[in-house]
Amino acid sequence: MPLQNGETIARITSHLYEGIFSFDDWCLGLEGIREALKGAYFYQCTVDVPALRVVSSLVSAEIPLELTAEYEQQHFAQDPRIPHLLALPIGSVFLDQDAIAPMTMAHSAVYRDFLLPHGYRHSLAVPLHGDGAFRQIFGIMRTTQQKSFGAADREFIGRLVPHLTRAARLRARSGDLTRNATFCSPILQALPQGVMVLNADCRIEMANPVAKALMHPGGADFPQAPLINEGGYLRCAHAPSHTRLLQLVAQACGLPQQGRDPLVRVGLLQLPLTPSTPPVAPDPDAAQALEAAQARLSLTVMPFHPDPVLAVVHPPSPPCVLVLIGGPGKNTPQYSAHTMAEMLGLTPTEARLALLLARGGTVKEFGVAEGVSWHTARTHAKNLLRKTGCKRQVELIRLIQTLFFG
């Protein structure tokens, strides 16, 4: 089928516009572009421009996730194509052979150590949309055995660019609405406990007012900020605690970690409020300083389960975690089953079971109270473990008690 075939353009355009609210159709549209341009794979990414890092990406199904992760974590910041793509006007067509000198490619570690060893060489890309802080880029790669992209390829993608950029912009707006509906639940926002949603890189997707106060020096009840919002990414002021936080976030996201049980998805971090050593003196002020220094926050990190209907439109990428923050000396409120269900993505029945178990009850007692068989009650318990990421019932009880009873 020739590149100029109107049916190809019409089919791809249809998928792109339907993809504004359908993840599958969006993928079909991008895959249609790849196929029409005879590319080896497509790659779409959203870039945090000030930090020069990828915050989310979508790649052809044939490409191993490990390869994508290697590029984003080890090569992206040094990729000579990226400065061009961040500077070009939205909708411009980028061909690497036109923008990058052969000598630059030969000396680039991205081409020499990553792309060429994996059999890839030629790239075509288009900046789709951006707001200054973030920019979304779409690209196609060809192998070393194929010819570079030429005038016919530029003409074809040029006919698609108005539709591609408009659909991408509308899809991004749809994604913003989805994230607001997912992360900015009134229940999460109104909780007296600090709540955050982080992605796998500790980027803050949502923080309720209590959590925001904890990240502000002198805010909340604490003289120093134990948690730092560093360019939109969460960092603990206490360095060893931050290392532990990164481990817990990776664990909750299900990322492989050497020597750790992949089934354990929930973790607890005790965070010192003040990293400095307090003075030792007999006066009341010194005693108060010592008490403040010994106080600790508790951070519970667990998998975040978005609304399953919204996730069909915009699947979370990368996966996210829910962080609940408990302060020292505070009375943790007694949450209802409805609140627990909203926070943890449980059914009302599963939330009632969780509360009963946390208060010392048993699955058998729950079955009697609900008027269901022991087998049915046990099924609810299994679903509860799966949704909270807990491996054993004792772990689930400890989690619920930590989250909801202080």
Side-chain angles (χ1 to χ4, degrees):
M1 181 180 296
L3 292 178
Q4 291 80 10
N5 192 307
E7 292 183 2
T8 303
I9 296 286
R11 184 179 69 253
I12 293 173
T13 300
S14 175
H15 283 309
L16 292 174
Y17 284 119
E18 290 175 1
I20 294 170
F21 297 106
S22 167
F23 177 73
D24 289 341
D25 280 303
W26 183 253
C27 291
L28 286 173
L30 300 186
E31 179 61 25
I33 299 174
R34 181 207 64 79
E35 182 179 351
L37 290 173
K38 298 181 172 58
Y41 70 89
F42 73 78
Y43 178 69
Q44 174 190 298
C45 67
T46 300
V47 182
D48 181 335
V49 177
L52 198 59
R53 64 194 298 179
V54 176
V55 296
S56 66
S57 61
L58 178 63
V59 66
S60 297
E62 296 80 10
I63 301 299
L65 293 177
E66 298 80 8
L67 195 63
T68 304
E70 179 186 346
Y71 169 72
E72 293 175 355
Q73 295 168 13
Q74 301 180 28
H75 301 288
F76 177 83
Q78 289 77 41
D79 191 331
R81 298 169 297 181
I82 299 306
H84 296 277
L85 290 167
L86 295 181
L88 283 173
I90 298 300
S92 302
V93 178
F94 169 89
L95 303 182
D96 59 358
Q97 75 268 17
D98 293 343
I100 303 175
M103 187 63 69
T104 302
M105 288 188 186
H107 289 87
S108 167
V110 174
Y111 280 88
R112 184 186 65 242
D113 301 333
F114 180 75
L115 291 175
L116 293 176
H118 288 292
Y120 304 115
R121 168 61 180 80
H122 311 289
S123 55
L124 175 152
V126 178
L128 299 182
H129 71 88
D131 59 6
F134 295 93
R135 174 168 281 214
Q136 190 174 81
I137 298 167
F138 171 73
I140 302 285
M141 288 296 300
R142 281 180 177 172
T143 69
T144 54
Q145 304 301 315
Q146 294 176 286
K147 295 180 179 180
S148 60
F149 293 97
D153 303 306
R154 182 188 288 275
E155 190 274 337
F156 173 77
I157 195 68
R159 293 175 63 187
L160 273 173
V161 157
H163 304 290
L164 179 58
T165 54
R166 183 169 186 267
R169 185 172 64 253
L170 293 173
R171 179 170 171 78
R173 291 178 182 173
S174 167
D176 290 339
L177 295 174
T178 299
R179 279 186 289 276
N180 287 336
T182 301
F183 298 145
C184 300
S185 160
I187 288 182
L188 295 182
Q189 293 291 333
L191 285 176
Q193 187 179 24
V195 180
M196 295 185 190
V197 178
L198 309 177
N199 73 8
D201 293 325
C202 284
R203 183 172 183 273
I204 302 168
E205 300 287 352
M206 185 282 293
N208 73 350
V210 176
K212 289 178 180 177
L214 292 171
M215 292 186 288
H216 188 277
D221 300 324
F222 312 120
Q224 296 186 24
L227 301 171
I228 299 170
N229 183 338
E230 195 169 71
Y233 293 83
L234 180 67
R235 182 171 67 82
C236 298
H238 185 243
S241 297
H242 186 67
T243 300
R244 174 62 176 157
L245 174 65
L246 294 176
Q247 295 172 345
L248 294 179
V249 169
Q251 173 181 291
C253 287
L255 304 178
Q257 297 186 84
Q258 187 173 5
R260 296 187 180 274
D261 187 341
L263 296 180
V264 177
R265 302 285 296 279
V266 179
L268 178 66
L269 170 63
Q270 297 293 334
L271 181 66
L273 294 187
T274 54
S276 58
T277 303
V280 178
D283 61 274
D285 291 339
Q288 186 176 5
L290 176 62
E291 181 181 356
Q294 291 174 337
R296 306 174 79 86
L297 287 176
S298 64
L299 273 63
T300 303
V301 183
M302 60 185 298
F304 178 73
H305 301 285
D307 186 305
V309 176
L310 297 176
V312 172
V313 180
H314 287 274
S317 175
C320 292
V321 302
L322 187 68
V323 179
L324 294 106
I325 309 168
K330 292 190 175 184
N331 294 323
T332 305
Q334 301 293 308
Y335 292 100
S336 67
H338 173 71
T339 302
M340 181 179 292
E342 287 286 333
M343 290 183 65
L344 303 183
L346 308 176
T347 66
T349 302
E350 292 161 353
R352 291 194 298 273
L353 172 57
L355 284 173
L356 184 142
L357 293 175
R359 290 168 174 151
T362 66
V363 175
K364 184 176 181 180
E365 291 172 349
F366 177 78
V368 172
E370 294 282 320
V372 298
S373 68
W374 179 84
H375 177 76
T376 300
R378 184 174 172 81
T379 299
H380 287 307
K382 289 181 178 179
N383 291 336
L384 185 56
L385 290 173
R386 175 178 56 81
K387 290 184 178 181
T388 57
C390 295
K391 185 178 179 182
R392 295 173 291 273
Q393 187 170 304
V394 65
E395 184 184 342
L396 169 68
I397 292 172
R398 185 164 57 247
L399 166 69
I400 300 301
Q401 289 176 341
T402 299
L403 297 184
F404 300 100
F405 300 102

